[in-house]
C-alpha cells in the first residue's frame, strides 16, 4: 500500500500575526513530501510513526462528529497492521510535517470529504480549515489548520483574516530572476508549543500588543499585498522593516547564534531574514534582491532557494 503524496508548505508571511488576524500567505513547497505506507519489514522510524498514529486514532474517535466523521474501523485496522507516515519533511523545521500527515489521513479516511476537485467556496475552505485545526491540535496543542489545508490543496492560500481565506495565484517564478526567497538551515530542531506560549505570554503586555498591531501586523499585511501585486521595491522595504521588528521583539524565537547574522542582513541590505513558522530553530526564511550576493554572504550556511522572481 502507498497513498498519494502530500507536500510541505512555507508560510511566506503571517507567522504569529495570523493568530492576531494579520494577513498571511502560504505556499506549497514540493521539495519535501510524505505518504501513508505499509512495509513488510518496517524500519525503526516507521515503527515510531506507527506508534504515534495509534494515539492519533484514539484522538480522532473523540472529534466532534458534527464537524467530521472518519472510517475509524478501517483506519484502526490499517494502523494495527503497521501503517505509518513515510515522510521526507523535517520535523520541527516550520515546513508543516504534521500538516501533511493530517491531510493524508483526512484524504483517505474522512467520510463525505470535501475534495480538491470541487468548486472550493469560501465556506468549504473554512470548513476544511476548522476540520484540520481540530485534527492537528493533537500534535501542537493549538493549530490554525492552515498547514494541512495547504498540504491538502497544494495551492497558494491567502489568509485575509481568521474567517476569510481564499486560494490565490502568486507571481510566476523566473528562474533567472535575482530576487529570491530562500531557506537557511539553523541546524536546530524547533518546538512549536513553547514558542507559541512565549508569544501568548508576551501578548498579555499592553506594549507588546501595541507593537504587534502597529508594526508587526502592518508590515506583514503590506508584504503580502506587495508580493501578490509584484511590487518588488515596496516588498523589500517592508520585509526589511519586518525583519527589524522580529529582531527587536521576537529574540527568543531566533536561535542565539543567528542574532548577528540577522542584524548583518539589515545593515548591509544583502538579505533580510524572518521567522519560518514559530521559530526557535528549524528553518529561517530569507529574502534577497540578489541571490548571488546573499549566497556569498551566507556561504558558511546551508541555503536552499525556494523561489526566484
Amino acid at each position: 500500500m502507498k497513498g498519494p503524496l502530500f507536500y510541505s508548505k512555507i508560510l511566506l508571511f503571517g507567522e504569529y500575526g495570523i493568530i492576531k488576524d494579520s494577513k498571511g500567505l502560504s505556499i506549497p513547497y514540493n521539495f519535501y513530501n510524505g505518504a501513508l505506507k505499509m512495509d513488510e519489514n518496517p524500519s525503526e522510524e516507521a515503527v515510531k510513526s506507527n506508534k504515534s498514529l495509534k494515539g492519533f486514532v484514539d484522538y480522532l474517535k473523540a472529534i466532534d462528529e458534527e464537524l467530521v466523521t472518519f472510517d475509524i474501523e478501517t483506519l484502526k485496522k490499517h494502523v494495527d497492521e503497521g501503517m505509518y507516515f513515510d515522510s521526507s519533511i523535517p520535523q520541527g523545521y516550520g515546513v508543516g510535517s504534521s500538516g501533511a500527515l493530517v491531510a493524508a489521513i483526512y484524504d483517505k479516511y474522512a467520510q463525505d470529504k470535501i475534495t480538491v476537485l470541487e468548486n472550493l467556496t469560501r465556506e468549504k475552505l473554512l470548513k476544511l480549515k476548522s476540520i484540520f485545526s481540530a485534527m492537528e491540535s493533537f500534535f501542537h496543542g493549538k493549530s490554525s489548520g492552515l498547514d494541512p489545508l495547504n498540504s491538502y490543496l497544494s495551492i497558494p492560500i491567502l489568509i485575509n483574516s481568521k474567517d476569510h481565506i481564499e486560494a490565490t495565484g502568486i507571481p510566476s517564478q523566473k528562474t533567472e530572476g535575482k530576487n529570491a526567497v530562500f531557506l537557511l538551515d539553523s541546524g536546530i530542531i524547533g518546538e512549536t508549543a513553547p514558542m507559541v506560549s512565549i508569544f501568548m505570554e508576551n501578548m498579555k503586555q499592553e506594549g507588546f500588543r501595541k507593537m504587534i498591531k502597529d508594526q508587526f501586523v502592518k508590515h506583514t499585511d503590506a508584504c503580502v499585498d506587495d508580493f501578490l501585486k509584484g511590487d518588488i521595491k515596496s516588498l523589500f522595504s517592508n520585509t526589511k522593516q519586518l525583519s527589524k521588528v522580529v529582531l527587536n521583539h521576537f529574540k527568543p524565537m531566533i536561535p542565539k547564534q543567528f542574532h548577528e547574522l540577522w542584524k548583518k542582513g539589515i545593515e548591509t541590505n544583502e538579505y533580510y531574514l524572518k521567522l519560518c513558522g514559530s521559530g526557535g530553530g528549524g528553518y529561517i526564511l530569507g529574502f534577497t534582491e540578489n541571490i548571488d550576493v546573499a549566497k556569498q554572504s551566507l556561504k558558511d550556511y546551508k541555503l536552499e532557494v525556494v523561489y526566484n522572481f
Side-chain angles (χ1 to χ4, degrees):
M1 159 193 168
K2 184 170 181 338
L5 288 178
F6 289 91
Y7 296 109
S8 52
K9 67 86 197 76
I10 292 174
L11 186 62
L12 282 185
F13 300 106
E15 68 295 329
Y16 291 108
I18 52 178
I19 300 178
K20 290 295 149 212
D21 248 10
S22 79
K23 286 189 176 186
L25 181 63
S26 183
I27 62 170
Y29 183 41
N30 299 356
F31 189 71
Y32 296 118
N33 54 55
L36 293 166
K37 260 192 193 172
M38 279 192 210
D39 284 345
E40 290 288 304
N41 303 306
S43 66
E44 205 178 309
E45 280 294 293
V47 171
K48 216 166 95 183
S49 164
N50 173 262
K51 202 174 153 192
S52 98
L53 278 180
K54 285 186 172 139
F56 193 35
V57 173
D58 292 336
Y59 173 82
L60 293 179
K61 281 181 196 160
I63 277 188
D64 181 2
E65 292 196 349
E66 294 278 291
L67 189 61
V68 61
T69 52
F70 295 95
D71 178 354
I72 291 284
E73 263 174 54
T74 309
L75 171 56
K76 191 175 175 330
K77 178 175 168 292
H78 287 163
V79 170
D80 289 344
E81 287 166 0
M83 181 176 79
Y84 67 101
F85 190 60
D86 181 28
S87 167
S88 66
I89 307 170
Q91 288 186 345
Y93 262 66
V95 287
S97 51
S98 56
L101 166 59
V102 166
I105 294 283
Y106 176 82
D107 179 63
K108 192 162 174 61
Y109 301 100
Q111 294 174 320
D112 303 322
K113 67 176 186 186
I114 295 169
T115 72
V116 185
L117 301 170
E118 57 198 83
N119 177 16
L120 289 168
T121 60
R122 191 165 130 194
E123 283 64 38
K124 283 180 186 164
L125 282 173
L126 284 173
K127 174 144 196 218
L128 272 174
K129 183 174 175 282
S130 46
I131 290 169
F132 289 149
S133 163
M135 289 174 72
E136 199 182 31
S137 294
F138 171 76
F139 299 97
H140 294 318
K142 186 177 188 302
S143 153
S144 68
L146 274 168
D147 287 5
L149 184 65
N150 208 294
S151 192
Y152 184 62
L153 301 174
S154 221
I155 47 179
I157 292 166
L158 170 63
I159 302 109
N160 291 298
S161 67
K162 270 196 201 62
D163 309 320
H164 183 188
I165 53 177
E166 55 186 309
T168 185
I170 53 177
S172 54
Q173 292 235 41
K174 293 195 182 87
T175 30
E176 71 294 342
K178 285 268 191 246
N179 302 306
V181 181
F182 59 87
L183 292 173
L184 212 54
D185 188 346
S186 71
I188 304 159
I189 289 176
E191 292 269 347
T192 299
M195 293 297 133
V196 173
S197 57
I198 292 172
F199 176 77
M200 289 311 199
E201 203 45 48
N202 286 341
M203 283 302 283
K204 292 176 183 169
Q205 302 160 20
E206 197 190 330
F208 190 82
R209 283 201 304 271
K210 192 170 165 9
M211 175 279 299
I212 288 291
K213 187 167 147 284
D214 299 346
Q215 298 174 43
F216 191 73
V217 170
K218 186 182 113 182
H219 294 306
T220 296
D221 286 0
C223 283
V224 171
D225 292 340
D226 291 341
F227 189 81
L228 292 176
K229 283 199 308 245
D231 187 340
I232 309 291
K233 193 166 181 277
S234 180
L235 171 68
F236 280 104
S237 134
N238 279 306
T239 306
K240 180 177 185 173
Q241 294 309 317
L242 194 55
S243 186
K244 271 188 199 163
V245 171
V246 173
L247 183 61
N248 292 333
H249 300 281
F250 288 79
K251 278 254 169 44
M253 285 77 165
I254 305 172
K256 277 205 176 57
Q257 59 273 46
F258 286 90
H259 289 184
E260 280 308 310
L261 202 66
W262 203 285
K263 208 165 113 203
K264 182 186 155 199
I266 295 166
E267 286 167 357
T268 60
N269 296 315
E270 290 173 345
Y271 55 85
Y272 306 123
L273 300 179
K274 60 186 291 300
L275 297 173
C276 179
S278 52
Y283 284 121
I284 292 166
L285 200 55
F287 286 74
T288 178
E289 292 183 79
N290 189 328
I291 188 60
D292 301 333
V293 170
K295 275 182 175 164
Q296 186 50 37
S297 186
L298 299 164
K299 62 178 186 301
D300 299 337
Y301 299 86
K302 248 165 79 185
L303 183 151
E304 277 171 43
V305 176
V306 172
Y307 194 83
N308 290 87
F309 58 102

